[in-house]
């Protein structure tokens, strides 16, 4: 039997393109709370955790980013997300459905999430696109505002669920930004970058991931190349 392998997937720009639903919900929340139109272009969003993004927004508007204030903003953001998802024209990214179906059928593969989304936001997005049930568990922005700390949460949950210690060499982090690559490197995982998000192939190459794909459209080829 093949050794167990833990695959940790990012969501936005890796599994799905929501058409900007998350940003739309953030902007609407800002509009409601601060009575201003803000395109949030001065806030780094791609690859950051929701909690880190909310902290930056609150500081921009000179609001103390206390736990209470972050939680209150996050709750309103989540409440607005279903409407944004219904309005934006998003999609599952090329090859993802087929890739997940093939991986789910392999008993040695453990599919999980490692994402900057809050858990409820991740659930809403992936249920909207029919992907939530592929994943057993995840590490989310609820766990820590710093994405580089999320690997430890994912490993602990994997061990508790499977009764198996996953060495860093047995873990893959799959994502579309520098933050995904840095997160994987932070705990010694193999890093797999995919240029289907806001970062170009050239930008991702500069972050020295272990593997780099233009997209994951060739599910069989990806599985063979990565030894999944």
């Amino acid at each position: 039997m093949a050794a167990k392998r833990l695959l940790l997937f990012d969501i936005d720009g890796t599994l799905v393109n929501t058409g900007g639903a998350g940003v739309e919900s953030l902007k609407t929340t800002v509009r409601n709370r601060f009575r201003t139109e803000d395109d949030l272009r001065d806030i780094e969003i791609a690859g950051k955790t929701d909690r880190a993004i909310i902290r930056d927004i609150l500081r921009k508007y000179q609001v103390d980013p206390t736990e209470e204030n972050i939680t209150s903003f996050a709750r309103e953001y989540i409440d607005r997300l279903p409407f944004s998802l219904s309005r934006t024209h998003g999609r599952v990214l090329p090859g993802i459905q087929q890739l997940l179906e093939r991986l789910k059928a392999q008993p040695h593969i453990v599919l999980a999430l490692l994402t900057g989304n809050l858990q409820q936001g991740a659930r809403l997005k992936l249920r909207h696109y029919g992907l939530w049930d592929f994943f057993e568990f995840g590490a989310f922005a609820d766990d820590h505002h710093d994405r580089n700390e999320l690997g430890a949460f994912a490993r602990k949950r994997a061990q508790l669920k499977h009764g198996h210690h996953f060495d860093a060499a047995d873990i893959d982090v799959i994502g579309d930004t520098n933050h995904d690559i840095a997160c994987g490197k932070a705990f010694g995982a193999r890093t797999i970058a995919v240029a289907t998000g806001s970062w170009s192939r050239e930008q991702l190459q500069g972050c020295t991931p272990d593997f780099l794909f233009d997209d994951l459209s060739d599910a069989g080829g990806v599985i063979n190349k990565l030894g999944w």
Side-chain angles (χ1 to χ4, degrees):
M1 181 182 292
K4 281 191 176 294
R5 189 153 198 93
L6 175 60
L7 310 189
L8 299 173
F9 281 86
D10 171 54
I11 294 178
D12 297 282
T14 301
L15 297 174
V16 299
N17 179 332
T18 67
V23 175
E24 187 64 31
S25 296
L26 288 170
K27 288 161 62 175
T28 305
T29 304
V30 167
R31 184 187 310 125
N32 181 58
R33 287 178 171 250
F34 304 117
R35 305 301 176 190
T36 186
E37 296 292 334
D38 189 342
D39 59 18
L40 300 179
R41 289 184 182 177
D42 56 344
I43 301 292
E44 184 181 5
I45 291 176
K48 297 283 289 293
T49 67
D50 284 345
R51 287 180 61 84
I53 294 165
I54 292 169
R55 285 173 63 182
D56 289 345
I57 291 172
L58 293 177
R59 285 172 176 150
K60 177 178 179 177
Y61 287 95
Q62 300 180 327
V63 175
D64 190 10
T66 62
E67 185 64 29
E68 180 181 2
N69 287 336
I70 291 172
T71 299
S72 175
F73 190 105
R75 188 178 298 117
E76 182 173 350
Y77 159 74
I78 291 296
D79 286 345
R80 295 181 182 280
L81 189 55
F83 180 69
S84 294
L85 285 165
S86 72
R87 280 167 41 92
T88 54
H89 300 289
R91 62 193 173 99
V92 177
L93 288 167
I96 292 299
Q97 184 80 31
Q98 298 88 339
L99 179 63
L100 294 178
E101 287 173 356
R102 291 185 62 170
L103 292 172
K104 191 72 171 176
Q106 300 194 45
H108 71 286
I109 293 292
V110 177
L111 292 176
L113 298 166
L114 195 161
T115 173
N117 282 274
L118 294 160
Q119 184 172 0
Q120 180 62 8
R123 184 183 295 113
L124 287 168
K125 288 179 181 180
L126 292 184
R127 278 190 173 157
H128 184 80
Y129 293 103
L131 300 180
W132 177 254
D133 290 337
F134 282 110
F135 300 97
E136 297 184 31
F137 56 89
F140 305 94
D142 314 66
D143 296 312
H144 204 284
H145 71 271
D146 184 349
R147 195 183 189 107
N148 286 355
E149 300 294 330
L150 295 183
F153 291 92
R155 289 178 78 174
K156 183 176 181 180
R157 286 171 187 147
Q159 183 169 350
L160 287 172
K161 187 170 181 64
H162 288 271
H164 174 82
H165 174 74
F166 288 86
D167 291 328
D170 300 325
I171 303 173
D172 292 330
V173 172
I174 305 99
D176 68 296
T177 73
N178 60 324
H179 294 292
D180 300 295
I181 298 168
C183 172
K185 288 178 181 290
F187 67 103
R190 191 168 66 160
T191 53
I192 298 156
V194 55
T196 46
S198 59
W199 278 62
S200 69
R201 181 183 181 88
E202 291 71 29
Q203 288 174 310
L204 291 169
Q205 202 157 28
C207 301
T208 63
D210 294 304
F211 292 89
L212 174 58
F213 295 90
D214 290 326
D215 58 43
L216 302 178
S217 57
D218 180 7
V222 169
I223 289 171
N224 289 336
K225 185 167 186 177
L226 297 175
W228 288 346

